[in-house]
Amino acid sequence: DATTAQAGNPLLEPQFTDSYEVRLRGQVARHNLELTAFRRTTTDIWSFRGEVDADGVLVTRPFNFGSQALTGAEVSARGPILEGLRYVLTANLSDQSLDQDGGGPLPSRHSATWSGTAQLEYKDGQDGRAGADRVNFTFRYFGPTDTGFTRVEAFSLGTFTWSHQFTDRLSGVLTVQNIRFVEGREQITTGLLTQSRDLF
């Protein structure tokens, strides 16, 4: 529009990630537990940066910020609650290191990142048979994320899905996506001389 624009970047380099993981699995009664420790290093990480051009338009385009290193762990558990009702819980926490080599106003830095997922699934009947039902609700929480020039505040979303088998060959699916649990998602984009705040 008259004040903002989005653009590409022909000089953008691809980002590559080296990931090293150690995973432990165990079982308690009918519940499966899993612990994963990881180290993930990404070079030329993509981040969005905004600059005001000669016409006064804030132009946002992707840049390579530098390298990112994530060191942390993820814990997950899954199993039955009642007859036909199952759960899946996942949570992860990591230390993030951002090392800038793309130029700009922001320094290299450390921060903590975290996220979690909770899922409930109810199943009634036999899959593929008339009358079978499957109901799934998934809740996802994302802590603040920082990719260099762009920082996104914490937000959460939910998804609801219900599938019903009308006949052995005909089924229907109802899906409600992006159920919001917060007013909006705030994004801060920093450029050489500008800083913009967007609320989605």
Side-chain angles (χ1 to χ4, degrees), residues 54-108:
D55 297 322
V57 177
L58 177 65
V59 181
T60 303
R61 55 169 50 92
F63 278 87
N64 296 112
F65 181 82
S67 61
Q68 176 199 61
L70 291 172
T71 306
E74 181 175 276
V75 178
S76 66
R78 67 185 66 208
I81 300 176
L82 299 170
E83 183 68 28
L85 182 63
R86 298 180 58 84
Y87 76 93
V88 179
L89 296 174
T90 304
N92 68 69
L93 174 65
S94 61
D95 171 73
Q96 175 182 249
S97 172
L98 286 169
D99 185 16
Q100 183 183 9
D101 60 18
L106 297 175
S108 302

Side-chain angles (χ1 to χ4, degrees), residues 21-175:
E21 299 184 359
V22 176
R23 183 168 298 164
L24 299 175
R25 291 191 177 101
Q27 190 168 8
V28 178
R30 298 169 62 192
H31 302 270
N32 296 312
L33 306 176
E34 195 171 276
L35 172 64
T36 304
F38 57 82
R39 168 78 173 186
R40 298 167 185 154
T41 304
T42 304
T43 56
D44 294 319
I45 185 172
W46 293 354
S47 187
F48 285 87
R49 179 171 152 185
E51 303 290 354
V52 177
D53 67 8
D55 297 322
V57 177
L58 177 65
V59 181
T60 303
R61 55 169 50 92
F63 278 87
N64 296 112
F65 181 82
S67 61
Q68 176 199 61
L70 291 172
T71 306
E74 181 175 276
V75 178
S76 66
R78 67 185 66 208
I81 300 176
L82 299 170
E83 183 68 28
L85 182 63
R86 298 180 58 84
Y87 76 93
V88 179
L89 296 174
T90 304
N92 68 69
L93 174 65
S94 61
D95 171 73
Q96 175 182 249
S97 172
L98 286 169
D99 185 16
Q100 183 183 9
D101 60 18
L106 297 175
S108 302
R109 56 197 180 274
H110 274 269
S111 63
T113 65
W114 60 89
S115 64
T117 302
Q119 184 181 79
L120 287 174
E121 182 180 77
Y122 176 73
K123 179 181 174 183
D124 182 33
Q126 184 178 351
D127 287 342
R129 296 295 184 182
D133 285 289
R134 186 184 291 264
V135 179
N136 184 292
F137 177 74
T138 302
F139 171 80
R140 292 183 174 89
Y141 174 83
F142 302 90
T145 58
D146 188 349
T147 60
F149 302 116
T150 302
R151 177 180 173 85
V152 180
E153 295 302 318
F155 67 101
S156 55
L157 293 171
T159 301
F160 172 82
T161 303
W162 171 38
S163 63
H164 178 72
Q165 196 77 28
F166 294 103
T167 70
D168 289 355
R169 301 182 63 182
L170 177 65
S171 64
V173 179
L174 170 68
T175 301

